């Protein structure tokens, strides 16, 4: 399997997981079960969807759109991200969303950071309170463009991508963990190996950014992977929803994605079923699905995803990621 196939698997996996979770995001597990049943396919968003009302099935959300934004900045900056430029692009992105009447706007950590920048605070200080999953959801391009075999270069790129909005031990560690899995997958590593690399990188990355109180990402991922392996199928939903958690907190949604990825690595679940469970579990379903899809796709390749669903997501969103992914790989192999 080629690097390109794995990289496309990661980016389109992100988009597919995002689209599967789009109609269910912010609903509870019970509400999703009552209204949708178990998610097994792309679905239209209902009129009372709190973030994406009436969006057609297959629509992506901010997770994929901001990942594309980060990818474009990486290509423009020759594998470097200017934090000030990222701040400007995010502000412009939200303005475009508001002009269209979209409810799919910036997350709490990103919004708070950008409000500080607009008020005159420095980029370096703006992200000191960002602990949610916003950095992790858009970090996949860094995993594609930067080789974890060069760990210092890799981690520096992750920090640059996080600094403006999530310049904290939790924000950086969660993003680094996801990017490490993606980067390891593109290097041809197995999913189990890549998840180990992601877990280890979370421990290393937590020493960057401002320390904030909260359960550490590395130990949470390690525990959740072990718990997922021991859990039987009937209790997996309870483990994810009631114990790990599925909120926008990085210690919950990102860790939940790792727990589901571990089920795939252990052979207890296939990749698409894992994405469907992410979309069905409640809470921040689109981000859990996006992060999970990126990690699984990097290790298993584009052909592992159902081609009709990928085609539908591409058509609905006019999405053509191939040139961008090739440019990211050129940076990786330069």
């Amino acid at each position: 399997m080629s690097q390109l196939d794995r990289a496309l698997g990661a980016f389109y996996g992100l988009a597919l997981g995002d689209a599967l979770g789009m109609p269910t995001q912010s609903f509870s597990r019970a509400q999703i079960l009552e209204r949708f049943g178990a998610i097994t396919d792309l679905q239209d968003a209902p009129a009372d969807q709190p973030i994406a009302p009436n969006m057609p099935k297959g629509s992506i959300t901010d997770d994929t759109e901001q990942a594309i934004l980060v990818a474009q900045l990486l290509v423009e900056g020759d594998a470097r991200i200017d934090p000030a430029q990222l701040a400007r692009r995010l502000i412009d992105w939200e303005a475009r969303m508001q002009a269209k009447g979209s409810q799919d706007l910036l997350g709490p950590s990103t919004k708070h950071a950008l409000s500080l920048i607009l008020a005159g605070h420095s980029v370096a200080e703006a992200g000191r309170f960002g602990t949610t999953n916003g950095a992790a959801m858009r970090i996949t391009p860094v995993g594609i463009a930067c080789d974890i075999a060069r760990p210092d270069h890799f981690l520096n790129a992750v920090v640059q991508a996080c600094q403006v909005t999530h310049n904290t031990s939790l924000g950086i560690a969660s993003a680094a963990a996801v990017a490490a899995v993606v980067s390891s997958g593109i290097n041809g590593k197995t999913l189990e190996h890549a998840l180990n690399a992601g877990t280890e990188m979370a421990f290393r990355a937590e020493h960057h950014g401002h320390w904030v109180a909260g359960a550490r990402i590395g130990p949470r991922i390690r525990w959740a992977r072990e718990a997922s392996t021991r859990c039987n199928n009937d209790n997996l939903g309870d483990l994810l929803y009631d114990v790990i958690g599925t909120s926008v907190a990085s210690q919950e949604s990102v860790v939940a994605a790792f727990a589901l990825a571990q089920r795939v690595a252990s052979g207890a679940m296939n990749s698409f079923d894992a994405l469907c469970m992410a979309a069905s579990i409640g809470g921040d379903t689109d981000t859990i699905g996006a992060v999970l899809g990126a990690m699984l796709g990097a290790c298993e390749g584009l052909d592992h995803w159902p081609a009709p669903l990928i085609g539908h997501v591409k058509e609905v969103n006019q999405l053509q990621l191939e040139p961008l992914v090739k440019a990211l790989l050129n940076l990786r192999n330069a």
Side-chain angles (χ1 to χ4, degrees), residues 57-70:
K57 65 181 181 180
S59 299
I60 57 173
T61 77
D62 59 333
D63 299 70
T64 307
E65 291 182 354
Q66 290 188 31
I68 292 171
L69 186 154
V70 168

Side-chain angles (χ1 to χ4, degrees), residues 227-293:
S228 176
T229 301
R230 295 193 305 267
C231 189
N232 63 45
N233 289 334
D234 291 340
N235 294 329
L236 180 60
D238 295 334
L239 172 68
L240 294 168
Y241 189 73
D242 296 330
V243 182
I244 295 173
T246 60
S247 76
V248 298
S250 56
Q251 307 102 304
E252 294 193 2
S253 46
V254 174
V255 174
F258 269 83
L260 279 166
Q262 185 61 47
R263 295 290 287 187
V264 177
S266 67
M269 180 179 286
N270 69 44
S271 294
F272 184 67
D273 286 348
L275 279 194
C276 289
M277 182 159 218
S280 305
I281 199 62
D284 200 4
T285 52
D286 59 326
T287 297
I288 298 171
V291 168
L292 178 62

Side-chain angles (χ1 to χ4, degrees), residues 108-138:
S109 292
T110 300
K111 185 177 288 291
H112 180 65
L114 296 183
S115 70
L116 290 176
I117 291 170
L118 291 172
H121 293 266
S122 72
V123 169
E125 289 298 306
R128 67 177 303 152
F129 306 107
T131 61
T132 55
N133 55 26
M137 79 179 191
R138 58 180 180 249

